[in-house]
Amino acid sequence: MKWTTEKRYQNYDNWDAATLLQLQAQAANSPYQMHYHIRPQSGLLNDPNGFSYYNGEFHVFYQNFPFGPVHGLKSWFHMTSPDLVHWENKGLALIPDTVYDSHGAYSGSALPLPSGDLFLMYTGNHRDADWIRTPYQLGALMDSKGNVTKLDHPLIMPPDYVSEHFRDPQVIRYNDTYYALLGAQDQETKTGHIVVYKSRDLKQWQDLGYLDFTEQEMGYMIECPNLVFVNDQPVLIFCPQGLDKNIASYDNIYPNMYLIGEDIRLNGPKMTPAQPQPLNLDDGFDVYASQAFNAPDGKAYLISWVGLPDTTYPTDSEGWANCLSQVKELELRDGHLYQHPVVAMGSLRQQGTLLRPERRVNDRQQLLDQSGNQYELRLTLRKNQHGSLHLAASADLSQGLRLDFNTGADASLTLDRGQAGLAVATDYGTTRTITLPAHRDCQLDIFIDGSLCEVFVNDGHNVMTARFFADPSHQTVAFVAEQAIDFTGTYWPLKK
Amino acid sequence: MKWTTEKRYQNYDNWDAATLLQLQAQAANSPYQMHYHIRPQSGLLNDPNGFSYYNGEFHVFYQNFPFGPVHGLKSWFHMTSPDLVHWENKGLALIPDTVYDSHGAYSGSALPLPSGDLFLMYTGNHRDADWIRTPYQLGALMDSKGNVTKLDHPLIMPPDYVSEHFRDPQVIRYNDTYYALLGAQDQETKTGHIVVYKSRDLKQWQDLGYLDFTEQEMGYMIECPNLVFVNDQPVLIFCPQGLDKNIASYDNIYPNMYLIGEDIRLNGPKMTPAQPQPLNLDDGFDVYASQAFNAPDGKAYLISWVGLPDTTYPTDSEGWANCLSQVKELELRDGHLYQHPVVAMGSLRQQGTLLRPERRVNDRQQLLDQSGNQYELRLTLRKNQHGSLHLAASADLSQGLRLDFNTGADASLTLDRGQAGLAVATDYGTTRTITLPAHRDCQLDIFIDGSLCEVFVNDGHNVMTARFFADPSHQTVAFVAEQAIDFTGTYWPLKK
């Protein structure tokens, strides 16, 4: 199908149900499908929205264009979970059906209200006959039965100092006041900023101007600003598009970064950074548009889009694209942001197997020959070694996802998807590398789910995420090294 | 919406996607929804089809009209499971898109072939311009990736001695030969029969005539004939519509019955019954169109439609209707057919609570005041008592599902949904009663899932199934009796 603008933006009632049913079946039957991550029921998934705890369960929505792997007319698709691991499809919750969101119910956030409703704040994408965009910041209320009522009027109109790029409101409650953080492009300088608004009643919103959080230029646009408190310190998560790589290094087309603050003031908005520059939230290939929130238990949970703007993926040919990451619990330790799998991830584990290295044949130590496509692998690699761990590999190891490690002097870890099946975004390289502490054991907690790999390094000091599109029958896991690798490990097949 | 014939039978591409997405969301958000049973993604669910084990997992399909709670243009919706408890939606697998199934891809069965495909055999419902029906028996092959290819030509044309009611092929392999059992109405006598066909290659089918299995008249039509071997004995499961209640007693609009055979011969088809008359497969309200098959491990598994033909249900107003039962493992013990929850049902259990009777207040013993809507309750009621167990009850017990029990001389158990919320099929009574062995303890294993209740009595000697539509906030469980009830019990909330 040729994706004309008309086709992308036509109303959902101009699509026929047979097409949708076929797209749903195609996605469900994909050999590359994820089975314990949130994936689109059909079509394209992008940003997580409205990540929250409400009415006794966790909620997350995702940006969804149900009719193909393209950025067309977007809705919010609703998911609920008791434990952040087992998610239930609740269907479309916000669809573009007003003049203000005529061209998409774009990203936003959610906040439970004392009234008993869940407040949804989102960007309505409107374009006029000349295709001129107006981004409206809109509100809606969801009740405990899942009924959504949109508020009649926009909450925030774009101020005159921003361009048409003004979106992704994060609504939070702080010091008994409501605030909204918005991603923006300055009209004059065309640089990226975060605008802060304040409200007592969620109806009248007062513009507090740009958040002062850095003296560096944050690219040409900041998307998805997200403030969360981790061990009582503010952490600002955001996507600075076009960020100068001299300011902060990254490899993906656009980075998803974070900045830990010493403290924050939202009224006269200023965050004093505790770091010289922002850092990548994920050291892999595909994480973007992350959302974090503080649950009633005080914990900070994070979820991300695993997918990037302006990037095609091999499943496009199957009519669907992308997924959400697993949820991670955030922790600040020694001034560093750690990410951990949530406790309930353990409930997916089936009978574990202690890995004992098989006899080394030439330079190869086989760990598993039939790993399956859904599993967790925990490994501790002893210090002062180097070699490669091959995952989702063909029997001869010529194909597979590779982790090249060095736990000696120049300690590093490289995730290489260059030989892992179908190519993805190769213009941005096929490897991602992090440094490791020298002469130390390295702990890896690796989650594979179909075409998704998430590696937690050293108890979540780093996370490296990658989509990869290997032949699903490639299920060998093995070390290749000049010397025998000294390690301990456990393998668990995971429930779907 | 008025469900005209035109509306019911219009092609799926004449329905719009917005309508379908809304129906899917409505079903997902229903307060009456089941969360650990198979339920329609949207619209109407009826018969289970193609229940089988293939390519390392269990498969079941359900009859589905996706656009409303009516019997319109039907497809097969595909589900897979590793354990018969956790099911995954795979979308529509067989849709009506040929001249032979122009008015519905109706019920049928599945059989894994040595070639590596899953053979699907089903009834194509065709009507001509004058609305005259021809039922074609059709074939299709599903490969391991879920791709379905329909065979070009009908496998079986209706023979001249049957009426237009000729459907629901069960294909089995027996003594190295393929057989198909079909429900039929005799053209001349308008009585219900089972026709048997035989084939060496699944292409050429030879008519072997009616199965001789009873001397009694089996109503005006037999639907869903199903032969399964339980502890090596043949068990024939079928739905004799219009069966004379003097032949076998039943309360529902149409019964779903079974007959144990001493032995069976399919070539010159005859089953010698081991019972004087058929018995109800389920002693509750809503079980129909059951399908059973022998898995490679030799076990016999059963799954049923929980819903009845020509019956409306309260969720019709929410645009969806019905569900499948939990899967049951069949056992023949002392000449009686027992039904057991499958082993993996235990994996749904969360922390169990040993029930200790609270102090009796007047005639009431409270067990739980917030049971939730998904739980299992195992109770052993000591002999020589009588009373009522109230489930999903309001705090004052004026509303709720009731089990009236007597474990004394006139031992019996009555399931009463007359006060359990919205009315269902009240023309057929609001109670179902079974006799129990006199002066014996009675064991109950009760599964509640939203608006579905399944009671296994005395280790599955009987099963009583009921849909009921109580206010979801009604979550009291209590005994009411003249004397304190002596019992032991455990309660487990179940995972969704």
Side-chain angles (χ1 to χ4, degrees), chain A residues 409-429:
Chain A
D410 295 324
S412 70
L413 184 69
T414 297
L415 180 57
D416 184 343
R417 67 177 178 186
Q419 304 299 319
L422 306 176
V424 193
T426 46
D427 288 354
Y428 297 89

Side-chain angles (χ1 to χ4, degrees), chain A residues 273-341:
Chain A
Q275 296 167 205
Q277 72 280 318
L279 292 172
N280 288 300
L281 190 58
D282 188 280
D283 292 295
F285 295 90
D286 304 282
V287 157
Y288 198 74
S290 302
Q291 256 194 12
F293 83 105
N294 290 103
D297 61 7
K299 288 184 177 174
Y301 294 112
L302 175 83
I303 193 165
S304 306
W305 177 24
V306 186
L308 291 168
D310 306 330
T311 303
T312 58
Y313 285 88
T315 62
D316 289 5
S317 64
E318 298 174 352
W320 68 280
N322 311 323
C323 64
L324 296 188
S325 71
Q326 64 174 280
V327 174
K328 295 150 196 169
E329 188 184 330
L330 300 179
E331 183 198 7
L332 269 187
R333 198 196 298 170
D334 306 327
H336 182 84
L337 188 68
Y338 283 75
Q339 302 178 43
H340 307 290

Side-chain angles (χ1 to χ4, degrees), chain A residues 187-416:
Chain A
Q187 174 73 304
E188 201 182 312
T189 62
K190 297 288 187 284
T191 53
H193 290 274
I194 296 170
V195 185
V196 181
Y197 282 77
K198 154 180 170 175
S199 177
R200 292 258 160 224
D201 59 5
L202 297 171
K203 287 173 198 147
Q204 302 298 321
W205 288 86
Q206 180 191 347
D207 182 355
L208 303 179
Y210 291 145
L211 176 69
D212 175 5
F213 68 99
T214 176
E215 295 186 351
Q216 293 151 331
E217 204 170 282
M218 286 294 115
Y220 59 78
M221 168 66 185
I222 288 179
E223 292 196 298
C224 304
N226 189 276
L227 175 66
V228 66
F229 291 85
V230 185
N231 303 99
D232 295 328
Q233 258 185 281
V235 176
L236 190 64
I237 297 167
F238 58 106
C239 299
Q241 293 185 313
L243 180 70
D244 184 334
K245 292 187 183 184
N246 293 316
I247 294 175
S249 169
Y250 62 95
D251 293 316
N252 295 341
I253 180 169
Y254 307 119
N256 195 167
M257 298 207 146
Y258 72 94
L259 197 56
I260 301 171
E262 290 292 355
D263 49 44
I264 194 161
R265 187 179 69 206
L266 286 172
N267 212 352
K270 180 177 171 63
M271 185 176 91
T272 311
Q275 296 167 205
Q277 72 280 318
L279 292 172
N280 288 300
L281 190 58
D282 188 280
D283 292 295
F285 295 90
D286 304 282
V287 157
Y288 198 74
S290 302
Q291 256 194 12
F293 83 105
N294 290 103
D297 61 7
K299 288 184 177 174
Y301 294 112
L302 175 83
I303 193 165
S304 306
W305 177 24
V306 186
L308 291 168
D310 306 330
T311 303
T312 58
Y313 285 88
T315 62
D316 289 5
S317 64
E318 298 174 352
W320 68 280
N322 311 323
C323 64
L324 296 188
S325 71
Q326 64 174 280
V327 174
K328 295 150 196 169
E329 188 184 330
L330 300 179
E331 183 198 7
L332 269 187
R333 198 196 298 170
D334 306 327
H336 182 84
L337 188 68
Y338 283 75
Q339 302 178 43
H340 307 290
V342 299
V343 173
M345 283 299 281
S347 71
L348 295 181
R349 289 179 180 165
Q350 299 179 288
Q351 183 70 52
T353 304
L354 212 62
L355 295 175
R356 295 179 191 285
E358 293 200 10
R359 202 166 58 82
R360 197 154 160 260
V361 177
N362 299 325
D363 58 354
R364 169 176 177 161
Q365 271 165 284
Q366 184 99 348
L367 300 184
L368 297 162
D369 54 0
Q370 290 290 326
S371 64
N373 303 115
Q374 273 77 34
Y375 61 91
E376 179 185 354
L377 186 60
R378 277 190 81 114
L379 293 172
T380 301
L381 308 172
R382 296 293 163 221
K383 59 189 170 189
N384 300 324
Q385 303 188 95
H386 65 274
S388 297
L389 174 66
H390 294 244
L391 300 159
S394 57
D396 66 0
L397 305 188
S398 65
Q399 285 283 311
L401 192 64
R402 235 174 59 199
L403 275 166
D404 299 335
F405 55 89
N406 180 338
T407 56
D410 295 324
S412 70
L413 184 69
T414 297
L415 180 57
D416 184 343

Side-chain angles (χ1 to χ4, degrees), chain A residues 32-92:
Chain A
Y32 300 114
Q33 197 50 271
M34 280 64 63
H35 291 281
Y36 60 92
H37 285 77
I38 293 174
R39 54 91 173 171
Q41 190 166 36
S42 66
L44 181 117
L45 168 155
N46 55 308
D47 308 0
N49 295 155
F51 190 25
S52 54
Y53 185 84
Y54 164 67
N55 194 34
E57 48 187 3
F58 293 96
H59 297 255
V60 73
F61 305 77
Y62 60 80
Q63 282 282 297
N64 183 217
F65 176 63
F67 303 106
V70 296
H71 291 266
L73 189 62
K74 303 283 182 69
S75 290
W76 284 34
F77 193 103
H78 185 201
M79 313 285 300
T80 60
S81 172
D83 60 4
L84 296 166
V85 171
H86 297 86
W87 292 97
E88 190 170 2
N89 277 353
K90 292 290 187 177
L92 293 187

Side-chain angles (χ1 to χ4, degrees), chain A residues 12-13 15-18 20-21 24-25 28-29 35 39 41 57 66-67 78 88-92 145-146 496, chain B residues 12-13 15-18 20-21 24-25 28-29 35 39 41 57 66-67 78 88-92 145-146 496:
Chain A
Y12 290 7
D13 52 13
W15 287 98
D16 74 79
L20 182 64
L21 285 163
Q24 291 178 346
N29 289 290
H35 291 281
R39 54 91 173 171
Q41 190 166 36
E57 48 187 3
F67 303 106
H78 185 201
E88 190 170 2
N89 277 353
K90 292 290 187 177
L92 293 187
K145 290 176 178 167
K496 289 183 173 188
Chain B
Y12 291 7
D13 51 14
W15 287 97
D16 74 80
L20 182 63
L21 285 163
Q24 291 179 346
N29 289 289
H35 292 282
R39 54 91 173 171
Q41 189 164 36
E57 49 187 2
F67 304 105
H78 186 200
E88 189 170 3
N89 277 354
K90 291 291 185 175
L92 293 187
K145 291 177 177 165
K496 290 184 173 187

